[in-house]
Amino acid sequence: MLRDLSEVLLDLHDGVTAASSRWALGVRIVDAQMTLPVEVRAIFRDGGCVLQADVLRNRADADWLAVPSRLAITWAETPVEALP
Amino acid sequence: MNAGIPPLVQDSGVPFDVLIQALTEQLDKAQAAMALKARVGKLPLTFAVKEVSFDLRAFVQVIDDDLYVRPAGPGDSEASTIKLALTTITKPMIEENAIDFKPEDPKLSLREALGDDKDSEDLQRRLERIGVRNVQQLSELRKTAGADVIARLARLPVNRLQQALMTASAPRVTQVESAAPHLDEPSRVHLTSPLLRAGMLPRVRAAGSMVPVIEAQNGGLVLAPLASQMGCEAEIDFGDGDVGRVTLSQGAIGTLNAKGGA
């Protein structure tokens, strides 16, 4: 079941934040890079186009897509006040 | 193909610019939610998306000179790969480039000029997608780019846009200050039009003679017509070939004829 891409990104963000908070011994994550195979589709909703996506969750999903799309994200630790 | 996708999207996909817009909308939405979460949690630091690159497996076709893209679904093979790379912009960059909403005069809003029926709302949304948020911007863009370019970018029929441009730029009477009977002072008529500029005095005629202009500012004009000119149709020559017509009475909405084409 595909979801809005923003929801997937928020889940990934939660993952990085949780991983970062586990490092409490003087080492912390400042950058993280993820390269993920994803399934993507564009749908029309609320008078506009919405991009939906999700990571492939199991081998069965991957078998359906000959070569899946690939999403690479670089996360960087940023002061909250610098965020838009 | 996926049975859950409407047939039109399934067959040809979506225009490429619409797809890019949908992608950036999702990224903006995610960034806003992440920032909100960090602010609510009173965190000094958080993780933000710095760069995104997307190798999108998709089928590409050209329909009527427009590039359409349909992301590959399960079972599709031999799709093309579109490589997209996006980076985030910083808060100072946004502040430098963003439109300042606060000083926007409600008289010059698209909603005020085009009306708030469903058709106008759609027109307004399409114009906002290309960055046109008020009548002033629409009017300036018409001068610099032309109506056909705006229509193509906003995906609007040219005649619909021209009609909207005429409606939006037409002069309107917003206020009539009646002269006091015992004083020998003329009435004052306040007009608005996005074509009016401070420092550019338009020529106004009514009932065969000139109407004195006593104040000209951006988007507004104050006239002091003679009593015999009140209620008559005034012709306003904005310069650059644009001529508007409006009756000098309270609440009148005029028309605009662009001699040079819209």
Side-chain angles (χ1 to χ4, degrees), chain A residues 38-52:
Chain A
V38 286
E39 191 183 336
V40 182
R41 76 175 177 188
I43 61 158
F44 283 113
R45 196 178 68 202
D46 302 331
C49 178
V50 178
L51 201 65
Q52 293 194 318

Side-chain angles (χ1 to χ4, degrees), chain A residues 3-82:
Chain A
R3 301 176 288 162
D4 285 9
L5 178 63
S6 59
E7 287 179 30
V8 178
L9 291 173
L10 283 171
D11 277 358
L12 296 173
H13 177 257
D14 285 347
V16 183
T17 309
S20 170
S21 62
R22 278 198 286 273
W23 293 82
L25 298 170
V27 179
R28 72 172 204 271
I29 300 172
V30 289
D31 279 298
Q33 291 183 7
M34 298 173 174
T35 304
L36 307 160
V38 286
E39 191 183 336
V40 182
R41 76 175 177 188
I43 61 158
F44 283 113
R45 196 178 68 202
D46 302 331
C49 178
V50 178
L51 201 65
Q52 293 194 318
D54 212 341
V55 293
L56 305 175
R57 289 169 188 272
N58 55 48
R59 289 172 70 90
D61 281 345
D63 283 344
W64 283 97
L65 288 161
V67 184
S69 297
R70 204 161 282 274
L71 177 67
I73 310 171
T74 305
W75 301 93
E77 198 178 48
T78 311
V80 171
E81 60 188 30

Side-chain angles (χ1 to χ4, degrees), chain B residues 1 18 26 38 45 58 95-96 118 160 172 176 183 211:
Chain B
M1 288 199 211
V18 173
Q26 290 297 313
L45 292 166
E95 282 164 1
E96 269 178 32
K118 200 165 173 57
R160 174 74 186 95
R172 290 150 193 256
V176 174
L183 294 174
V211 181

Side-chain angles (χ1 to χ4, degrees), chain B residues 130-150:
Chain B
I130 62 164
V132 177
R133 291 175 189 277
N134 60 43
V135 177
Q136 200 89 44
Q137 290 172 328
L138 184 62
S139 173
E140 278 164 18
L141 198 59
R142 179 176 72 102
K143 298 269 183 210
T144 54
D148 55 340
V149 173
I150 308 172

